[in-house]
Amino acid sequence: MTIPESVTTIDKSVFKNSRPAIIAPHIPVGGFDAAGKPGACRGFAKLYLDGAALDEEIKAGYLKYIKGQKKRLYPKAIQHEALLRLMFAEKMIVRKDIDPLLEECDRQNNIAAKAAVLEYAGKSLKPADPMNEFKLKNL
């Protein structure tokens, strides 16, 4: 769903009974109610990955929101590849989040997302240090 530039705020009544990806590059993430923010993040992710020209302040706001809410957004990211790919591109996912992400992939039976998470972990993250984990468990 694309929002015309003349619309400057979004009310929850606009999306009764649906949660679409919302493409509204001119509306900051704060312009959406809590229920609409995941859809706005999915729409932003698509624009970001497509290399769309985005207002730097709005872009920074979305990236900050997504990073701060990443654990809450993981189920949506597993459902919507663009959001997951944005998290990969921005290196928002850390080693300790890989297992919960893989569990979410299994819950949603999303094999493609699971493969993407495993590929990201293998290419972008340092292997877990078993000695360090052993030390932390035995403190």
Side-chain angles (χ1 to χ4, degrees):
M1 171 180 291
T2 302
I3 307 297
E5 194 166 333
S6 60
V7 175
T8 58
T9 60
I10 300 294
D11 183 278
K12 65 182 174 185
S13 66
V14 174
F15 306 109
K16 286 184 181 174
N17 301 321
S18 71
R19 290 291 163 220
I22 303 165
I23 299 174
H26 55 283
I27 299 176
V29 70
F32 295 89
D33 67 359
K37 285 180 180 180
C41 290
R42 292 193 318 264
F44 167 78
K46 180 182 180 346
L47 291 172
Y48 176 92
L49 294 170
D50 288 347
L54 299 166
D55 175 276
E56 289 301 317
E57 190 173 329
I58 291 174
K59 178 180 172 181
Y62 273 98
L63 292 173
K64 181 178 179 182
Y65 177 81
I66 293 168
K67 186 173 184 177
Q69 297 296 312
K70 68 181 179 180
K71 288 185 181 180
R72 288 184 181 183
L73 290 171
Y74 281 163
K76 299 292 182 195
I78 298 305
Q79 292 171 356
H80 304 280
E81 179 186 354
L83 186 54
L84 185 61
R85 286 181 37 228
L86 173 128
M87 289 177 172
F88 293 158
E90 288 292 318
K91 307 253 188 269
M92 292 180 182
I93 300 172
V94 296
R95 171 67 58 196
K96 69 178 182 167
D97 291 342
I98 295 299
D99 286 340
L101 266 173
L102 292 173
E103 290 170 10
E104 185 62 36
C105 290
D106 289 340
R107 266 192 294 282
Q108 293 186 30
N109 197 30
N110 190 330
I111 297 167
K114 187 172 187 175
V117 170
L118 288 169
E119 181 179 357
Y120 169 80
K123 287 183 176 179
S124 302
L125 299 175
K126 293 180 182 178
D129 180 357
M131 287 306 293
N132 193 33
E133 289 182 21
F134 176 78
K135 289 175 194 174
L136 290 174
K137 287 180 183 178
N138 292 310
L139 286 178

